[in-house]
Amino acid sequence: MSTILVTGANRGIGLEFVRQLKAKGHRVIGTARRPSDAPELGKLADKVIGLDVTELASIEALPGPLGGEGIDWLINNAGISSQTKSIATMDAADLRRVLEVNAVGPIMVTKALLPLLRKGAGKKVVNISSQLGSIANNTGGSTYGYRASKSALNQLTVCLSNELKPEGFVCVAMHPGWVRTDMGGPNATLSPEQSVSSLVKVIEGLGAGDSGRFLNYDGQALPW
Ligand code: NAP
């Protein structure tokens, strides 16, 4: 049994992570911006903690309710999309917001939880990125802010991996596929169940040599 913390766990891919990891017998801590509005998460998770990944005070308060227990896996899942589709409609506030949620948030959450991750035996940090963060694959433009935020998250993942590898950590960026959630929409190719069962299988199998990689949900390497 591992202790696993999932951010943005009240709906979508995050909630499905909680469901599947609980079914496997793990101890699962889910975070939500408003725990009182997350009844399904409340029923499934061992513990629910309020967390807004853009609020430093909220991030710094996160370890408190954990009472010093070790965390084996951290799944930085919380994320938003962005509205900015062209240079003509570029909006600084929208760009800042998506960078704040998708890149600054996950690295600050990791920083706050590092003492507890060091106590854990699993030592896995999984940043849920997107193939849209791949610069090599960007032939379509559009979605400026979202792409930039996930590219930034990928870079932060590699920095983290390089720094923490000597301590036995495995830090990866993973694309969950195109998934039928509020973000992915109804036409997406994968159900949350399909995406998460594949992601979990890959995460379980991660070894030291995988740290710093950018992986698809099926375990294939993605180009940076
Ligand atoms: P979703 O259904 O829209 O869920 C997003 C989750 O993130 C919600 O729990 C949301 O909480 C939380 N969140 C948003 N802003 C937050 C903040 N400031 N602080 C804390 N939590 C916040 O999206 P999803 O499809 O499950 O996406 C999960 C992850 O997968 C994201 O990182 C996304 O970029 C990535 N991804 C998804 C797809 C896809 O096709 N679905 C593809 C590639 C990558 P609230 O309910 O409070 O808003």
Side-chain angles (χ1 to χ4, degrees), residues 7-14 31-34 51-54 76-81 97 101-102 128-131 146 150 174-185 188:
T7 68
N10 55 300
R11 59 189 169 100
I13 293 168
T31 77
R33 283 196 282 188
R34 289 172 300 277
L51 173 70
D52 184 322
V53 302
T54 65
N76 280 309
N77 164 78
I80 57 169
S81 53
R97 177 75 188 164
V101 176
N102 292 359
I128 301 299
S129 181
S130 168
Q131 66 177 358
Y146 186 73
K150 295 296 189 178
M174 292 194 76
H175 170 57
W178 186 23
V179 189
R180 290 190 291 277
T181 61
D182 293 338
M183 184 185 290

Side-chain angles (χ1 to χ4, degrees), residues 50-72:
L51 173 70
D52 184 322
V53 302
T54 65
E55 301 286 340
L56 205 52
S58 175
I59 293 172
E60 286 171 354
L62 177 59
L66 295 170
E69 75 171 302
I71 307 282
D72 293 298

Side-chain angles (χ1 to χ4, degrees), residues 34-201:
R34 289 172 300 277
S36 56
D37 291 347
E40 225 179 324
L41 176 62
K43 272 185 234 143
L44 285 170
D46 293 287
K47 196 181 274 246
V48 179
I49 304 176
L51 173 70
D52 184 322
V53 302
T54 65
E55 301 286 340
L56 205 52
S58 175
I59 293 172
E60 286 171 354
L62 177 59
L66 295 170
E69 75 171 302
I71 307 282
D72 293 298
W73 302 2
L74 166 61
I75 301 179
N76 280 309
N77 164 78
I80 57 169
S81 53
S82 122
Q83 300 313 311
T84 308
K85 303 260 189 298
S86 73
I87 187 66
T89 58
M90 182 59 67
D91 177 73
D94 178 64
L95 182 57
R96 283 196 194 100
R97 177 75 188 164
V98 72
L99 288 167
E100 193 80 33
V101 176
N102 292 359
V104 180
I107 200 70
M108 296 312 291
V109 167
T110 307
K111 179 185 176 191
L113 291 179
L114 196 51
L116 302 183
L117 287 162
R118 284 185 165 128
K119 274 192 185 180
K123 296 195 168 53
K124 290 180 182 175
V125 178
V126 178
N127 290 330
I128 301 299
S129 181
S130 168
Q131 66 177 358
L132 293 177
S134 168
I135 294 172
N137 276 354
N138 187 355
T139 53
S142 188
T143 54
Y144 280 69
Y146 186 73
R147 285 181 185 276
S149 71
K150 295 296 189 178
S151 302
L153 179 62
N154 287 355
Q155 180 70 273
L156 292 166
T157 306
V158 176
C159 290
L160 194 66
S161 165
N162 288 340
E163 185 173 350
L164 297 183
K165 224 188 287 185
E167 294 181 46
F169 276 89
V170 178
C171 308
V172 292
M174 292 194 76
H175 170 57
W178 186 23
V179 189
R180 290 190 291 277
T181 61
D182 293 338
M183 184 185 290
N187 298 323
T189 48
L190 296 175
S191 66
E193 294 79 2
Q194 290 169 316
S195 166
V196 169
S197 67
S198 184
L199 286 164
V200 168
K201 215 174 288 167

